């Protein structure tokens, strides 16, 4: 239930409602009337109470007055008797008084005092004490007595306490007697005592039926005396009904109130109140109902006024909207076929106000012929279905120009049941123009976008392809291999590297190099399937991604085929270019997350292995290969720290004159004095050191230490005429080679640099040739090492003008058994001799070798037949003991 709660303003509003005011007034009137009626009721009640009291009081007063007056009247009779008989004696007095008062018990006694001294008394008994009383001498009674004498009038005193006991009123009468001359003379006083109690009782003051409380004041009949001698004095203060008791001489004030006090509450008070309430309700309820109805009416009127205002505002807004929006309104009565247009519609259709336009054709005739059919169809469709009408069409204006109109409408029925279609029209020509312009712009933009898209995809293609061969490039491969979401992933990857490409490029120029690359690309393409792709990922590096699963055998066959075809010489201009390829193969391991990228790395590792195993071959990536790489990594770390700790040192292998068998020199060979593994030979570390690019460093330490040892040998008187050191290709490239040699004391003609034949295959560098010249200038000889293993053309070697050729061990070893090998070695020696180049044989392992080589004319010999490489200390020992001669 909602507990009504009003704010101050709400309360104010409610109170100001006319119905509430009316009810308020009615309520006020009813309340005032009620109060008034109640007051009236009480007043009437009070009056009647007073009247009742007054009535009773009157009765008592009358009785009092009657009793007193009748008593005093009797005494006056006695006075009259005395006036005529001034010398009355007791006996007469008693008799007369007895007669007068015999049946008047209220008067207790009568006394006569001639000469103001009491001498006569009735009744005597009980009043004897009073006889003889002289008023002049009695203090209590003198005043009243003299007053009576002075005034000549009867005086009523009391109530006074009587000598005989009790209380009484005393009436004193002066008695005058007539002198014989006719004047009056005071005889004395007659006094009568009226018994108070008896008087009260007889007057009804003790009447138990009396319903009022009475009080009397005015002692000694002096009305001004307020002393209350009967009843409660408070009665005089309680708004009593007051009256006066008239006495023969003076008055008493007598007052009365109802017994128990005045009652303010009339007995009919509740009846009167109920009547007032009923009357009030009879007035208020109809007013309340009427007020409520009035209020409702007022609210309704107010609401109606608000709605009317709202309507006015709306219609004003609508008018404003229509005026500013230039929208025309039309209406077509579908029952009477009358068309109604507002002035805006006429403006839109360019129809003058005066012209008739109340027919359907007034509209349809304005339509552009091309749009008419559709516009009319849309119109009638809306009329038939009674749904929304939506249309857009052109109209032709009087000057022949065209305006685009958009129309919207709806069918409806009015209160009389007539069917209408009502709608609006407005000019959308600028919209349409804008739309057309936008459309054209959009089309242009689309064309432009397509061009951009083409350019972009061309650029993307370019960025992912090699311009020379048209093959995908490294980026493409990376993308393909990285794209895990790709539908197909390669199953294997061949990493192909051209051998000798640099040489061709350097010697025959870039055009030749380019032609080789194009040729290589075509060979690769020709050997791959439609699904596979070939990419050029570096200068002379290619990749084949094999998509279809292939066995190891098939992959080997493919690699073998490629190697074989690449071997064929390629004609370029007048040259026959030859190059080989090395191939690394890796198969996809789909368990790995980034197997694509891994495969590329693995194939590279395998390629590296293929190259280091001697080119023109392929290698598969394998776990052993991987393990080896891990191991190599450890060795590499070891080598670096070994270099730091200077663990690399030279061993020396002596070389001998073939005919005299004299020591003609030593070759210094690197050894690694490994702290744990002992003395290690180059096959353990050289390859890795090469990868680490520290071979030049090793070469340098070996040279330095060997030179130092040679000084030792000189010092101990051992003559070693020549020292040979091995020099890596890397060291030859070194532009600082010369300056590093400057610090060393090298006696010209005592040091040779051995260079591998293979160096001259791949390299054709300016620095090398320059360095050669400088070495020769320093008196350092150059020897071609491992001669006969490479493919270097003899011509290019001769061009370098070396001091010696060292025939490789591979050629020497078989000469003992093979005649043809012997002839090969013999022809090398012949060429050398004809060019003035000395020839050294390596790997001379037996005395048979020694004899054959000496017969063939070889100059020097080196090999186990004489001595294995040894430390400097051993060499000293070896030379001193001339051990080789013992063997020989
Ligand atoms: P290399 O220059 O051809 O050196 C000759 C190698 O043949 C030496 O192996 C030597 O011990 C071995 N040898 C000598 N006589 C015979 C023989 O009668 N029969 C057989 N089977 N072998 C013989 P080593 O010392 O293991 O050196 C191997 C290769 O390491 C050297 O071949 C050389 O190319 C390279 N090398 C050695 N020391 C250095 C160095 O200080 N710098 C550079 N760059 N390479 C070095
Ligand atoms: Ca050598
Ligand atoms: Ca050699």
């Amino acid at each position: 239930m909602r507990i009504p709660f009003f704010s101050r303003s709400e309360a104010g509003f409610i109170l100001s409602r006319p119905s509430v005011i009316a009810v308020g007034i009615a309520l006020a009137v009813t309340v005032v009337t009620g109060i008034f009626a109640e007051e009236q009721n009480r007043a009437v009640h009070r009056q009647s109470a007073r009247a009742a009291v007054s009535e009773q009081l009157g009765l008592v007063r009358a009785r009092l007055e009657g009793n007193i007056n009748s008593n005093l009247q009797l005494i006056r009779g006695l006075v009259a008797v005395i006036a005529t008989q001034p010398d009355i004696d007791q006996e007469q007095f008693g008799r007369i008084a007895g007669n007068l008062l015999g049946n008047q018990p209220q008067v207790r006694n009568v006394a006569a005092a001639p000469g103001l001294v009491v001498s006569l008394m009735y009744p005597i008994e009980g009043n004897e004490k009073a006889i003889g009383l002289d008023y002049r001498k009695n203090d209590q009674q003198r005043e009243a007595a003299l007053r009576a004498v002075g005034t000549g009038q009867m005086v009523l005193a009391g109530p006074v306490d009587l000598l005989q006991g009790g209380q009484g009123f005393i009436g004193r009468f002066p008695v005058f007697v007539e002198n014989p001359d006719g004047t009056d003379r005071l005889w004395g006083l007659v006094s009568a005592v009226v018994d108070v109690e008896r008087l009260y009782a007889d007057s009804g003051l003790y009447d138990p039926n009396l319903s009022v409380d009475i009080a009397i004041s005015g002692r000694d009949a002096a009305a001004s005396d307020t002393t209350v001698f009967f009843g409660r004095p408070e009665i005089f203060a309680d708004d009593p009904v007051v009256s006066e008791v008239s006495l023969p001489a003076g008055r008493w004030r007598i007052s009365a109130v109802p017994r128990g006090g005045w009652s303010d509450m009339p007995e009919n008070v509740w009846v009167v109140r109920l009547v007032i309430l009923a009357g009030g309700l009879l007035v208020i309820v109809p007013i309340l109902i009427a007020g409520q109805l009035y209020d409702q009416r007022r609210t309704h009127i107010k609401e109606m006024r608000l709605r009317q205002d709202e309507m006015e505002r709306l219609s004003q807004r609508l008018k404003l909207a229509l005026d500013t929006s230039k929208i025309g309104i039309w209406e077509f009565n579908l029952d009477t076929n009358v068309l109604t247009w507002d002035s805006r519609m006429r403006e839109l259709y360019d129809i003058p106000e005066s012209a008739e336009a109340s027919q359907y054709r007034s509209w349809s005739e304005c339509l552009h012929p091309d749009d008419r059919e559709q516009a009319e169809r849309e119109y009638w469709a809306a009329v038939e279905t009674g749904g929304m009408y939506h249309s857009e069409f052109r109209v032709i204006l009087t000057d022949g120009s065209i305006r685009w109109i958009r129309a919207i409408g709806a069918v409806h029925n009015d209160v009389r049941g007539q069917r209408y279609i009502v709608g609006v029209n407005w000019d959308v020509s600028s919209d349409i123009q804008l739309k057309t312009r936008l459309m054209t712009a959009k089309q242009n933009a689309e064309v432009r976008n397509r061009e951009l898209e083409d350019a972009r995809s061309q650029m993307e293609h370019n960025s992912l392809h090699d311009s020379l061969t048209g093959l995908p490039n490294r980026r493409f491969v990376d993308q393909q291999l990285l794209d895990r979401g790709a539908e197909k992933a390669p199953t294997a990857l061949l990493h192909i590297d051209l051998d000798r490409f640099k040489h061709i490029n350097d010697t025959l120029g870039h055009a030749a190099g380019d032609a080789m690359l194009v040729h290589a690309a075509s060979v690769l393409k020709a050997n791959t399937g439609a699904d596979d792709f070939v990419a050029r990922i570096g200068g002379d590096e290619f990749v084949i991604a094999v998509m279809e699963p292939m066995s190891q055998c098939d992959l080997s066959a493919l690699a073998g085929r490629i190697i074989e075809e690449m071997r064929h010489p390629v004609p370029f201009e007048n040259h026959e270019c030859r190059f080989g390829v090395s191939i690394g193969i890796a198969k996809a391991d789909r368990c790995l997350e980034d197997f694509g990228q891994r495969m590329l790395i693995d194939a590279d590792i395998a390629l590296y292995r293929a190259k280091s195993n001697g080119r023109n071959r392929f290698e598969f990536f394998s776990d052993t290969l991987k393990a080896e790489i891990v191991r190599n990594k450890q060795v590499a770390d070891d080598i670096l720290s070994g270099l730091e700790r200077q663990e690399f040192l030279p061993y020396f292998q002596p070389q001998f004159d073939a005919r005299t068998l004299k020591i003609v020199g030593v070759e210094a060979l690197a050894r690694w004095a490994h702290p744990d593994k002992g003395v290690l030979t180059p096959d353990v570390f050289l390859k890795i050191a090469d990868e680490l690019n520290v071979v030049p460093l090793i070469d340098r330490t070996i040279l330095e230490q060997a030179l130092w040892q040679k000084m030792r040998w000189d010092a101990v008187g051992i003559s070693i005429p020549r020292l040979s050191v091995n020099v890596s290709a890397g060291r030859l490239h070194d532009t600082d080679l010369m300056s590093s040699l400057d610090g060393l004391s090298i006696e010209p003609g005592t040091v040779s640099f051995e260079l591998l034949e293979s160096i001259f295959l791949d390299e054709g560098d300016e620095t090398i040739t320059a360095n050669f010249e400088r070495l020769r200038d320093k008196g350092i000889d150059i020897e071609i090492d491992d001669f006969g293993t490479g493919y270097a053309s003899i011509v290019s070697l001769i061009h370098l003008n070396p001091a010696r050729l060292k025939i490789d061990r591979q050629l020497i070893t078989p000469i003992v058994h093979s005649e043809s090998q012997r002839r090969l070695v013999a022809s090398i020696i012949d060429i050398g001799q004809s060019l003035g180049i000395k020839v050294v044989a390596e790997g001379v392992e037996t005395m048979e070798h020694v004899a054959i080589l000496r017969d063939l004319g070889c100059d020097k010999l080196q090999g186990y037949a004489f001595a294995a490489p040894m430390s400097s200390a051993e060499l000293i020992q070896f030379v001193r003991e001339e051990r080789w001669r013992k063997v020989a």
Side-chain angles (χ1 to χ4, degrees), residues 658-863:
R659 274 167 290 114
T660 63
L661 292 185
K662 270 188 161 175
I663 292 185
V664 287
V666 287
E667 180 184 1
L669 291 159
R671 291 292 179 270
W672 180 7
H674 196 279
D676 307 325
K677 298 175 187 164
V679 177
L680 301 177
T681 49
D683 54 303
V684 182
F685 59 85
L686 205 58
K687 209 165 122 186
I688 301 165
D690 189 31
E691 283 161 23
L692 291 172
N693 253 334
V694 293
V695 178
L697 203 64
I698 295 174
D699 286 359
R700 194 184 146 82
T701 26
I702 299 300
L703 172 64
E704 283 170 3
Q705 293 188 54
L707 285 172
W708 193 78
Q709 292 299 339
K710 190 167 178 295
M711 276 163 60
R712 268 188 71 196
W713 304 328
D714 289 343
V716 297
I718 285 172
S719 161
I720 308 283
R722 184 178 296 277
L723 174 69
S724 298
V725 290
N726 294 284
V727 172
S728 65
R731 192 135 193 257
L732 269 186
H733 283 291
D734 193 350
T735 41
D736 295 334
L737 174 64
M738 287 308 147
S739 51
S740 75
L741 293 174
D742 282 346
L744 305 172
S745 63
I746 297 175
E747 207 180 310
T750 60
V751 173
S752 296
F753 276 15
E754 293 188 10
L755 299 166
L756 292 176
E757 189 204 57
S758 55
I759 293 175
F760 308 101
L761 277 174
D762 288 345
E763 325 295 334
D765 202 278
E766 299 296 305
T767 328
I768 295 179
T769 0
N771 277 340
F772 271 18
E773 288 311 314
R774 301 226 196 97
L775 288 172
R776 260 194 286 270
D777 292 348
K778 267 193 174 301
I780 296 173
D781 287 343
I782 292 186
E783 297 182 15
I784 307 278
D785 204 353
D786 293 358
F787 187 81
T789 48
Y791 296 88
S793 69
I794 299 253
V795 186
S796 65
L797 288 178
I798 302 307
H799 180 70
L800 290 168
N801 192 20
R804 275 169 288 275
L805 295 178
K806 287 187 80 175
I807 303 175
D808 192 71
R809 198 169 68 223
Q810 285 178 47
L811 301 183
I812 300 298
T813 311
I815 56 169
V816 219
H817 314 291
S818 160
E819 173 62 35
S820 62
Q821 285 289 327
R822 205 157 45 225
R823 272 206 301 278
L824 175 65
V825 172
S827 60
I828 292 173
I829 295 168
D830 282 349
I831 292 171
Q833 278 176 349
S834 66
L835 292 169
I837 300 171
K838 295 264 185 268
V839 176
V840 184
E842 291 186 322
V844 180
E845 291 183 341
T846 61
M847 290 323 286
E848 228 179 325
H849 282 108
V850 176
I852 294 169
L853 289 164
R854 186 179 49 211
D855 293 346
L856 290 177
C858 185
D859 297 293
K860 293 182 192 177
L861 305 174
Q862 180 184 348

